[in-house]
Coordinates of all heavy atoms in Angstrom, one line a residue:
D371 N -35.0 79.3 -36.5 CA -35.0 80.6 -37.0 C -36.4 81.1 -37.3 O -36.8 82.2 -37.1 CB -34.2 80.7 -38.3 CG -32.7 80.5 -38.1 OD1 -32.3 80.8 -36.9 OD2 -32.0 80.1 -39.0
A372 N -37.3 80.2 -37.8 CA -38.7 80.5 -38.1 C -39.4 80.8 -36.8 O -40.3 81.7 -36.7 CB -39.3 79.4 -38.9
V373 N -39.2 80.0 -35.8 CA -39.8 80.2 -34.5 C -39.4 81.6 -33.9 O -40.2 82.4 -33.4 CB -39.5 79.1 -33.5 CG1 -40.0 79.4 -32.1 CG2 -40.1 77.8 -34.0
L374 N -38.1 81.9 -34.0 CA -37.7 83.2 -33.5 C -38.4 84.4 -34.2 O -38.7 85.4 -33.7 CB -36.2 83.4 -33.6 CG -35.4 82.5 -32.6 CD1 -33.9 82.6 -33.0 CD2 -35.6 82.9 -31.2
A375 N -38.5 84.2 -35.6 CA -39.2 85.2 -36.3 C -40.7 85.4 -36.0 O -41.2 86.5 -36.2 CB -39.0 84.9 -37.9
A376 N -41.3 84.3 -35.5 CA -42.7 84.3 -35.2 C -42.9 84.5 -33.7 O -43.9 84.1 -33.1 CB -43.4 83.0 -35.6
S377 N -41.9 85.1 -33.0 CA -42.0 85.3 -31.5 C -41.3 86.5 -31.1 O -40.6 87.1 -32.0 CB -41.5 84.0 -30.8 OG -40.1 83.9 -31.0
R378 N -41.4 86.9 -29.9 CA -40.6 88.1 -29.4 C -40.2 87.8 -28.0 O -40.8 86.9 -27.3 CB -41.4 89.3 -29.5 CG -42.7 89.3 -28.7 CD -43.5 90.6 -28.9 NE -44.7 90.7 -28.1 CZ -45.9 90.3 -28.4 NH1 -46.0 89.6 -29.5 NH2 -46.9 90.4 -27.6
A379 N -39.2 88.5 -27.5 CA -38.6 88.3 -26.2 C -39.6 88.9 -25.2 O -40.0 90.1 -25.4 CB -37.3 88.9 -26.1
L380 N -39.8 88.2 -24.1 CA -40.7 88.8 -23.0 C -39.7 89.6 -22.0 O -40.2 90.6 -21.5 CB -41.3 87.7 -22.2 CG -42.5 87.0 -22.9 CD1 -43.0 85.8 -22.1 CD2 -43.6 88.0 -23.0
I381 N -38.5 89.1 -21.9 CA -37.5 89.8 -21.0 C -36.2 89.6 -21.8 O -36.1 89.0 -22.8 CB -37.4 89.2 -19.6 CG1 -37.0 87.7 -19.7 CG2 -38.7 89.3 -18.9 CD1 -36.7 87.1 -18.3
L382 N -35.1 90.2 -21.2 CA -33.8 90.0 -21.8 C -33.5 88.5 -21.7 O -33.7 87.9 -20.7 CB -32.8 90.8 -21.1 CG -32.8 92.3 -21.2 CD1 -31.8 93.0 -20.3 CD2 -32.6 92.7 -22.6
D383 N -33.1 87.9 -22.9 CA -32.9 86.5 -23.0 C -31.7 86.1 -22.1 O -30.6 86.4 -22.3 CB -32.7 86.1 -24.4 CG -32.6 84.6 -24.6 OD1 -32.5 83.9 -23.6 OD2 -32.6 84.2 -25.8
P384 N -31.9 85.3 -21.0 CA -30.8 84.8 -20.2 C -29.8 83.9 -20.9 O -28.7 83.7 -20.4 CB -31.5 84.1 -19.0 CG -32.9 83.8 -19.5 CD -33.2 84.8 -20.6
L385 N -30.2 83.3 -22.0 CA -29.3 82.4 -22.7 C -28.5 83.1 -23.9 O -27.6 82.5 -24.5 CB -30.1 81.2 -23.3 CG -30.7 80.3 -22.2 CD1 -31.5 79.2 -22.9 CD2 -29.7 79.8 -21.3
A386 N -28.9 84.4 -24.1 CA -28.2 85.1 -25.3 C -26.7 85.3 -25.0 O -26.3 85.6 -23.8 CB -28.9 86.5 -25.4
G387 N -26.0 85.1 -26.0 CA -24.5 85.4 -26.0 C -23.7 84.2 -25.5 O -22.5 84.3 -25.5
H388 N -24.3 83.1 -25.1 CA -23.6 81.9 -24.7 C -23.2 81.1 -25.9 O -23.9 81.0 -26.9 CB -24.4 81.1 -23.7 CG -24.6 81.8 -22.4 ND1 -23.7 81.8 -21.4 CD2 -25.7 82.5 -21.9 CE1 -24.2 82.5 -20.4 NE2 -25.4 82.9 -20.7
A389 N -22.0 80.5 -25.8 CA -21.6 79.6 -26.9 C -22.5 78.5 -27.1 O -23.0 77.9 -26.2 CB -20.1 79.2 -26.6
P390 N -22.8 78.1 -28.4 CA -23.7 77.0 -28.7 C -23.2 75.7 -27.9 O -24.1 74.9 -27.5 CB -23.6 76.8 -30.2 CG -23.3 78.2 -30.7 CD -22.3 78.8 -29.6
A391 N -21.9 75.5 -27.8 CA -21.5 74.3 -27.1 C -21.9 74.3 -25.6 O -22.0 73.2 -25.0 CB -19.9 74.2 -27.1
R392 N -22.2 75.4 -25.0 CA -22.6 75.5 -23.6 C -24.1 75.5 -23.5 O -24.6 75.5 -22.4 CB -22.1 76.8 -23.0 CG -20.6 77.0 -23.0 CD -19.9 76.2 -21.9 NE -20.4 76.7 -20.6 CZ -20.4 76.0 -19.5 NH1 -19.9 74.8 -19.5 NH2 -20.9 76.5 -18.4
T393 N -24.9 75.5 -24.6 CA -26.3 75.5 -24.5 C -27.0 74.3 -25.3 O -27.9 74.5 -25.9 CB -26.9 76.8 -25.1 OG1 -26.4 77.0 -26.4 CG2 -26.4 78.0 -24.2
Q394 N -26.3 73.2 -25.1 CA -26.9 72.0 -25.7 C -27.9 71.3 -24.7 O -27.7 71.2 -23.5 CB -25.8 70.9 -26.0 CG -24.9 71.3 -27.1 CD -25.7 71.2 -28.4 OE1 -26.4 70.3 -28.7 NE2 -25.6 72.3 -29.2
I395 N -29.1 71.0 -25.2 CA -30.2 70.4 -24.4 C -29.7 69.2 -23.6 O -30.3 69.0 -22.5 CB -31.4 70.1 -25.3 CG1 -32.6 69.7 -24.5 CG2 -31.1 69.1 -26.3 CD1 -33.2 70.8 -23.7
A396 N -28.8 68.4 -24.1 CA -28.4 67.2 -23.4 C -27.4 67.5 -22.3 O -27.0 66.7 -21.5 CB -27.8 66.2 -24.4
D397 N -26.8 68.7 -22.2 CA -25.8 69.1 -21.2 C -26.5 69.2 -19.8 O -27.4 70.0 -19.6 CB -25.2 70.4 -21.6 CG -24.1 70.9 -20.6 OD1 -24.0 70.3 -19.5 OD2 -23.4 71.8 -21.0
P398 N -26.1 68.3 -18.9 CA -26.7 68.3 -17.5 C -26.6 69.7 -16.8 O -27.5 70.0 -16.1 CB -25.8 67.2 -16.8 CG -25.1 66.5 -17.8 CD -25.0 67.3 -19.0
D399 N -25.5 70.4 -17.0 CA -25.4 71.7 -16.4 C -26.5 72.7 -16.9 O -27.0 73.5 -16.1 CB -24.0 72.3 -16.7 CG -22.9 71.5 -16.0 OD1 -23.2 70.9 -14.9 OD2 -21.7 71.6 -16.5
L400 N -26.8 72.6 -18.2 CA -27.8 73.5 -18.8 C -29.2 73.1 -18.3 O -30.0 73.9 -18.1 CB -27.7 73.5 -20.3 CG -28.8 74.4 -21.0 CD1 -28.5 75.9 -20.7 CD2 -28.8 74.1 -22.5
R401 N -29.4 71.8 -18.2 CA -30.7 71.4 -17.8 C -31.1 71.9 -16.4 O -32.3 72.3 -16.2 CB -30.7 69.8 -17.8 CG -30.6 69.3 -19.2 CD -30.4 67.8 -19.2 NE -31.6 67.0 -18.9 CZ -32.4 66.6 -19.7 NH1 -32.3 66.9 -21.0 NH2 -33.5 65.9 -19.3
G402 N -30.2 72.0 -15.5 CA -30.6 72.6 -14.2 C -30.9 74.1 -14.4 O -31.9 74.6 -13.7

C-alpha cells in the first residue's frame, strides 16, 4: 500500500482487476 502511494501507473495496469488468488507470485501461470 505504501509503495502504491509512492508510485504511479505508467500505463493501464495489466494485472488490475484480477482475483488475488490468480496473482500469486508462486503461481507458475502468473510467472510466465
Side-chain angles (χ1 to χ4, degrees):
D371 290 337
V373 172
L374 289 173
S377 64
R378 62 182 184 275
L380 286 171
I381 62 171
L382 291 175
D383 186 349
L385 297 178
H388 293 278
R392 302 278 301 154
T393 58
Q394 286 295 308
I395 187 69
D397 182 346
D399 293 333
L400 178 67
R401 291 169 75 88

